[in-house]
Amino acid sequence: MAELPSGTVTFLFTDIEGSTRRWEQQPQVMAAALAHHDALVREGIATHRGHVFKTVGDAFCAAFATAPAALGAALDTLGALLADAWGEAAPLRVRMALHTGTAEERDGDYFGPPLNRVARLLEAGHGGQILLSQPTCDLVCEALPMGVSLRDLGEHRLRDLARPERIFQVLAPRLPADFPQLTTLDTRANTLPVQLTPLIGRERELDAARSRLLRPDVRLLTLTGPGGTGKTRLALQIAANVLDEFRDGVFFVPLAPVSDPGLVPPIVAHALGMRESGGRPLAESLKDYLRHRAVLLVLDNFEQVLGAAPLVAELLSAGPALKLLVTSRAVLHVYGEHDCPVLPLALPCRNPLPSVERLSQYAAVRLFIERAQAAKPEFAISNENAPAVAEICYRLDGLPLVIELAAARIRLLSPQAMLGRLERRLPWLTGGAQNLPARQQTLRDAIAWSYDLLSGDEQRLFRRLGAFVGGCTLETTEAVCSAAGELEIDVLEGVASLVDKSLLRQHEEGPESRFLMLETIREYALEQLERSGEAAATRRRHAEYYLALAEHAAPELHRAQQVAWLDRLDREHDNLRAALGWSRQSGEGELGLRLAGALGWFWSVRGYWTEGRGWLEAALAPAGPSRRARARADALWGAGLLAWHQGERAAARAQLEESLEIWRELGDPSGVAYTLGLLGLVSWSEGDETAGRLLFEESLAIRRDVGETWGVALALGVLGRMALHQGDYAAASSRLEESMTIRHEVGDKWVIAQNLNSLGDLARLGGDYERARALYEESLALSRQLRTKATIASLLHNLGYVTSVQGDQRWAAALFEEALALFRELGDTPGMAECLAGLAGVAAAEGRLERAAQLFGAAEGVLDAAGARMSATNRADYARNLATARALLDEEGFAATWAEGRAMPLEQAVTYALDERKPA
């Protein structure tokens, strides 16, 4: 056998798409086809001096000394496969992937990360497609064969890999160019956070948990164990491995920041991207949302909210295709729960100790080595330090978190020195509180050991950082932990030191880094904070900082930088919750009232309706000297706004009328104007359109008098929408155009987007489709920045109608389908019906009349069931499309097919619209 390439190697992996199904259907034909396939692949690889080092089923793994040679082999081989006649067998669809890296060659095989990466890259592709990683692209881009080019498909997250990969598709004259989206983590609906390090030593647990979770009789799988065993990391990997099994997505729900079971429904809803619907308990909306969806929810740190276990049972009963993967230090005691204990990592035998080569195969030792090398690249296991490393892992009971903490000290201490400190410092399995599990005592002592190695100022910084929930930035750390410069060390240096010692973790999010503590470490920090006597002062500084942040942000939410401020409040939401909770527990009612009042608009725009009302009403409950103060009026206004969102008009009216009374007593015209406008919306929603319009007219007049530009623009926009609804298009146009002129000066993107949508509707109703398209597209761009799903869905749907009228049915269908998927995610039934009607119009224009009639019937049935009707903007297009279908299909055939569609349940109709669309 020729010598295999070494050093930097380019790997070519191939396999046959859909081969299992082919074997099941035509085993004899497939056997002959596979033999021919193998011969062609081997010939193509050998021609370019490649080496086949492994075959697995129909998959080939080949190594090349150079990347151009590997690319040449891929091009020639796939070209030959595509050109072959294949006899009685249908052509085999072969996909290929190339990646370049340094791997270890041993006994005719290769090992190392490059093999994992090329295997995952191959999984992402489709039959007939050649994919390249960034390293391979860099090596071939200057030496491509004639007529060959590369298409940049962007960065994608691949299963099991921490770092995303930039992927390129090879374009060549003999190869197909157009394929579906790559099959990566990014193309499956999910909110799984990217993992920065590989999971070590959990292969058996992963396989076993995956198999259990996918069993039909397992709906709730709980990973249990003490803090530090790696439950969260294991759950995330399990979830990533089953993405393909859940058509409607996999969603991560972090519960560590909360302790109130009542906050679980809004946090789950937010993770799912749900918008709250008015007039219904959120738990009921969740059950409706999940009723027909195949979803996996990963509920992390459930021990914080064990009182929410009944909700888990209710969700499972409501959603037959729903599954839950839970991490918790305690079982939930829910019927049907399957407990999966997460044990420590595998440890070597102490006597006799395995050889150095075998020692690194034990997961605990391998984790220590990898984390130690991350801290000190030159570290290596040797005959001298192997016994100490093994003993450290043994003494640390194989707990991943504790091993990582110990390995981070390798910069300062050799394994032998580290072991000596462990022997002196940690009375294993007997230290700490006797009522705690042994491993939790071990974890506590290990964190204590790291804490004791800190300097005095580092210890002060560490324990004060425990006050933060969900992380902090350098700015917030300086403000809360060293407000008066009382720490002698520079805060940046102190934070960097804590990151180096694995007591803090750095996370890039938004414009600046955030620093987070694992919950087990944060618990220890809080214990030390309480013992130090600094807790009250630190928590007060924390609450005062976040009050100042919220009050500063409130007016910015209506200005040009509103997106950045909305995002910042979202990132700090857990800290804002903590400040609100502290104000309630400590009797700081005035601070809590001000903070809740300042957050009302944020909660409204980002959809935290139930939670926001809870905080506001709790802050409003106590009577006291602030009963007639500005803070109370603000909080009442916010509570009234959120109650109106939820359809609770009586509660909204009562709160807003009290707010209005206080604003009038204070002589504050802006407050009066705000509240009159919102009372106008309440009256409008109650059916009294005249009263609603008059209240907004009064609000507008006051705002003009005081010169409040933002308020004038807001009132004009709402009055324009009211006029549009009442059919007064001239008044609507005048109001909206004036609002837009002012709004552009202020820079409020949220209201600009709403106004642009309304102006687009006006243009469309007037037959000016080009102007409508321009307005919708401008609104869509702003809405994508704001991440308002409902507005995005509405605009995609509107653009679908415009595009269909202009003749591009394929693009119109794509827009309707994307809007339909979003409305489905939001649980917006009328929106889904409008999209079904739009797709019916597309089908009619394409001449697929039976499909059109069925979708028209489905749209009517869904609207009737929801007690809704077609929106005024869409009625003309709907009527025209319906008439076209009726005219081209005989009346009897149309009526029968329409009735079939009308009888479809909603989910069946949506599935038909999304999954069964075929070209004409």
Side-chain angles (χ1 to χ4, degrees):
M1 179 178 178
E3 184 176 349
L4 291 175
S6 59
T8 300
V9 180
T10 298
F11 296 98
L12 166 63
F13 279 22
T14 79
D15 76 355
I16 301 173
E17 188 178 55
S19 60
T20 303
R21 184 175 63 254
R22 297 280 292 272
W23 275 109
E24 290 292 320
Q25 294 171 350
Q26 297 177 299
Q28 293 181 337
V29 173
M30 188 60 181
L34 184 61
H36 186 51
H37 157 274
D38 290 357
L40 290 174
V41 174
R42 288 185 185 277
E43 181 182 356
I45 291 170
T47 300
H48 291 269
R49 304 177 67 82
H51 304 264
V52 176
F53 62 89
K54 184 188 294 184
T55 60
V56 182
D58 55 50
F60 276 71
C61 305
F64 294 80
T66 69
L71 177 59
L75 286 166
D76 288 353
T77 303
L78 188 54
L81 290 165
L82 291 170
D84 199 278
W86 292 104
E88 63 179 308
L92 299 182
R93 293 178 54 79
V94 178
R95 56 186 175 181
M96 301 184 176
L98 291 86
H99 175 60
T100 305
T102 303
E104 178 187 0
E105 186 272 320
R106 188 170 68 243
D107 298 329
D109 200 353
Y110 288 90
F111 302 87
L115 283 300
N116 301 330
R117 191 159 289 269
V118 71
R120 296 300 177 247
L121 185 60
L122 182 67
E123 291 178 355
H126 303 279
Q129 190 174 37
I130 303 174
L131 299 179
L132 274 60
S133 66
Q134 180 79 63
T136 305
C137 170
D138 293 342
L139 293 171
V140 302
C141 63
E142 299 298 329
L144 293 171
M146 183 72 69
V148 175
S149 61
L150 301 178
R151 175 183 289 168
D152 187 350
L153 301 181
E155 280 199 342
H156 293 266
R157 293 191 297 151
L158 302 176
R159 184 165 65 89
D160 296 344
L161 302 183
R163 176 174 53 82
E165 183 62 52
R166 194 167 199 89
I167 300 176
F168 298 81
Q169 178 188 328
V170 177
L171 302 177
R174 293 183 294 169
L175 305 185
D178 296 320
F179 296 91
Q181 283 187 314
L182 297 178
T183 306
T184 66
L185 296 186
D186 306 286
T187 57
R188 287 282 183 179
N190 77 92
T191 58
L192 300 179
V194 174
Q195 299 306 298
L196 302 181
T197 56
L199 181 63
I200 293 173
R202 294 295 191 188
E203 292 81 5
R204 290 182 181 177
E205 291 94 329
L206 277 172
D207 289 343
R210 183 184 189 278
S211 298
R212 289 181 72 185
L213 185 62
L214 295 181
R215 277 168 36 192
D217 60 318
V218 177
R219 305 279 311 287
L220 169 60
L221 184 65
T222 305
L223 305 183
T224 57
T229 50
K231 299 184 294 294
T232 298
R233 183 66 183 87
L234 179 60
L236 289 170
Q237 195 64 54
I238 294 167
N241 289 358
V242 298
L243 269 175
D244 290 343
E245 307 295 332
F246 295 87
R247 69 171 187 270
D248 296 310
V250 175
F251 300 90
F252 181 67
V253 185
L255 298 172
V258 300
S259 56
D260 181 359
L263 291 179
V264 173
I267 290 175
V268 172
H270 183 64
L272 288 166
M274 277 180 58
R275 290 175 63 88
E276 297 183 30
S277 56
R280 303 192 67 208
L282 188 52
E284 295 302 313
S285 298
L286 269 174
K287 286 188 271 188
D288 284 350
Y289 182 87
L290 294 167
R291 196 173 307 280
H292 301 294
R293 285 178 165 82
V295 163
L296 174 66
L297 289 180
V298 183
L299 305 181
D300 189 43
N301 283 297
F302 203 89
E303 71 273 2
Q304 302 275 124
V305 287
L306 283 173
L311 173 68
V312 168
E314 292 174 21
L315 294 180
L316 288 169
S317 296
L322 169 69
K323 294 203 176 199
L324 297 180
L325 179 60
V326 177
T327 73
S328 178
R329 297 184 193 179
V331 293
L332 277 61
H333 294 294
V334 170
Y335 181 77
E337 180 182 23
H338 288 250
D339 183 20
C340 182
V342 178
L343 303 176
L345 295 173
L347 292 162
C349 178
R350 298 169 92 181
N351 188 22
L353 191 68
S355 66
V356 171
E357 291 75 21
R358 288 194 56 216
L359 194 62
S360 60
Q361 296 176 13
Y362 288 88
V365 176
R366 187 148 44 102
L367 177 63
F368 183 95
I369 293 170
E370 292 214 10
R371 297 299 183 263
Q373 288 176 340
K376 188 177 182 180
E378 63 269 28
F379 174 79
I381 194 80
S382 65
N383 289 326
E384 288 71 31
N385 62 27
V389 170
E391 186 65 17
I392 288 168
C393 293
Y394 198 95
R395 299 263 187 112
L396 297 180
D397 236 2
L399 291 171
L401 174 59
V402 196
I403 290 171
E404 292 195 19
L405 289 171
R409 308 303 299 168
I410 201 71
R411 289 187 199 143
L412 301 176
L413 301 170
S414 69
Q416 296 89 326
M418 199 180 297
L419 182 60
R421 285 178 175 264
L422 286 173
E423 287 173 350
R424 292 194 302 272
R425 175 62 184 87
L426 300 176
W428 295 102
L429 304 180
T430 58
Q434 293 300 309
N435 63 337
L436 292 174
R439 289 194 183 97
Q440 194 165 344
Q441 297 174 38
T442 296
L443 175 61
R444 182 184 301 278
D445 283 344
I447 299 171
W449 172 59
S450 291
Y451 177 77
D452 289 345
L453 290 174
L454 301 176
S455 69
D457 271 340
E458 286 177 334
Q459 288 183 345
R460 279 188 286 277
L461 177 60
F462 169 76
R463 61 185 178 243
R464 292 174 186 177
L465 284 167
F468 291 99
V469 186
C472 56
T473 64
L474 279 175
E475 176 193 331
T476 55
T477 302
E478 289 169 342
V480 174
C481 299
S482 187
E486 61 214 79
L487 294 179
E488 294 182 6
I489 60 167
D490 178 74
V491 169
L492 174 59
E493 291 179 5
V495 167
S497 175
L498 295 177
V499 170
D500 285 344
K501 296 175 175 67
S502 295
L503 291 169
L504 276 183
R505 294 195 173 187
Q506 186 172 351
H507 179 58
E508 299 300 327
E509 181 182 347
E512 54 187 332
S513 295
R514 289 186 73 78
F515 301 93
L516 302 96
M517 282 183 178
L518 293 174
E519 282 305 303
T520 46
I521 295 177
R522 180 172 171 267
E523 286 176 15
Y524 183 86
L526 287 173
E527 286 180 8
Q528 298 306 308
L529 187 65
E530 292 293 340
R531 290 175 184 170
S532 71
E534 301 171 351
T538 302
R539 290 184 184 279
R540 174 175 290 281
R541 284 200 299 268
H542 178 274
E544 288 173 347
Y545 175 85
Y546 283 101
L547 171 62
L549 174 68
E551 290 186 333
H552 181 76
E556 298 295 336
L557 299 184
H558 308 299
R559 295 174 183 162
Q561 296 301 311
Q562 68 182 151
V563 175
W565 280 100
L566 284 166
D567 289 346
R568 183 172 181 185
L569 291 178
D570 246 331
R571 288 193 296 272
E572 298 292 359
H573 204 178
D574 288 333
N575 280 309
L576 292 163
R577 290 174 174 127
L580 286 163
W582 175 83
S583 69
R584 183 191 299 179
Q585 294 163 7
S586 60
E588 294 287 340
E590 181 70 20
L591 189 152
L593 192 67
R594 287 171 59 192
L595 179 53
L599 292 172
W601 187 251
F602 162 69
W603 284 325
S604 169
V605 172
R606 284 285 161 100
Y608 298 105
W609 299 343
T610 298
E611 180 182 355
R613 280 188 74 191
W615 289 118
L616 283 159
E617 290 175 359
L620 286 163
S626 64
R627 189 151 187 84
R628 312 306 291 174
R630 180 181 303 275
R632 183 171 181 83
D634 264 333
L636 285 163
W637 186 89
L641 172 63
L642 298 179
W644 171 73
H645 275 311
Q646 296 188 309
E648 296 190 23
R649 294 185 289 270
R653 179 173 292 283
Q655 288 163 332
L656 291 169
E657 286 176 348
E658 184 182 347
S659 177
L660 181 62
E661 183 181 346
I662 297 173
W663 289 126
R664 281 178 167 153
E665 286 180 9
L666 294 171
D668 187 317
S670 290
V672 169
Y674 276 121
T675 312
L676 285 171
L678 191 46
L679 279 167
L681 289 176
V682 172
S683 295
W684 184 277
S685 62
E686 289 171 337
D688 191 344
E689 295 183 1
T690 300
R693 181 177 55 78
L694 290 173
L695 284 165
F696 245 102
E697 293 281 7
E698 185 181 355
S699 171
L700 173 61
I702 295 171
R703 284 163 165 163
R704 287 193 193 278
D705 286 345
V706 299
E708 188 186 83
T709 308
W710 179 86
V712 169
L714 174 66
L716 286 167
V718 175
L719 286 166
R721 191 71 192 177
M722 288 178 171
L724 176 64
H725 177 82
Q726 293 180 317
D728 189 346
Y729 299 152
S733 178
S734 173
R735 297 287 201 187
L736 289 166
E737 292 290 357
E738 186 181 356
S739 173
M740 287 296 290
T741 301
I742 301 170
R743 183 66 62 196
H744 276 298
E745 295 173 7
V746 179
D748 186 328
K749 293 179 180 177
W750 183 80
V751 180
I752 290 173
Q754 307 305 312
N755 287 353
L756 286 168
N757 195 6
S758 297
L759 287 167
D761 287 346
L762 273 174
R764 190 169 134 216
L765 288 166
D768 189 346
Y769 288 94
E770 280 302 321
R771 174 168 167 74
R773 173 181 293 282
L775 289 163
Y776 288 148
E777 288 178 346
E778 186 179 352
S779 179
L780 180 60
L782 289 174
S783 298
R784 290 197 190 279
Q785 291 179 38
L786 291 159
R787 305 200 308 274
T788 51
K789 285 184 181 178
T791 308
I792 291 169
S794 173
L795 288 160
L796 289 168
H797 156 270
N798 291 344
L799 282 166
Y801 269 112
V802 170
T803 304
S804 179
V805 169
Q806 293 178 330
D808 189 345
Q809 303 308 324
R810 184 176 180 181
W811 182 235
L815 290 164
F816 281 129
E817 287 167 0
E818 187 177 352
L820 177 55
L822 278 173
F823 280 130
R824 182 194 207 181
E825 184 179 338
L826 294 166
D828 187 330
T829 302
M832 286 186 272
E834 302 259 7
C835 290
L836 293 173
L839 285 167
V842 168
E846 292 177 330
R848 295 186 295 146
L849 302 177
E850 290 188 357
R851 175 178 170 83
Q854 201 161 20
L855 286 171
F856 276 128
E860 289 278 359
V862 171
L863 282 170
D864 284 351
R869 60 177 183 154
M870 190 69 57
S871 68
T873 312
N874 296 330
R875 282 175 203 157
D877 289 321
Y878 175 78
R880 183 182 62 253
N881 293 337
L882 183 61
T884 299
R886 281 186 181 277
L888 295 175
L889 193 65
D890 67 272
E891 187 60 37
E892 184 177 343
F894 180 90
T897 310
W898 186 89
E900 288 177 14
R902 184 178 173 82
M904 280 187 184
L906 172 61
E907 191 60 28
Q908 182 184 346
V910 171
T911 300
Y912 172 62
L914 290 176
D915 295 345
E916 296 186 18
R917 174 177 152 75
K918 299 182 177 67

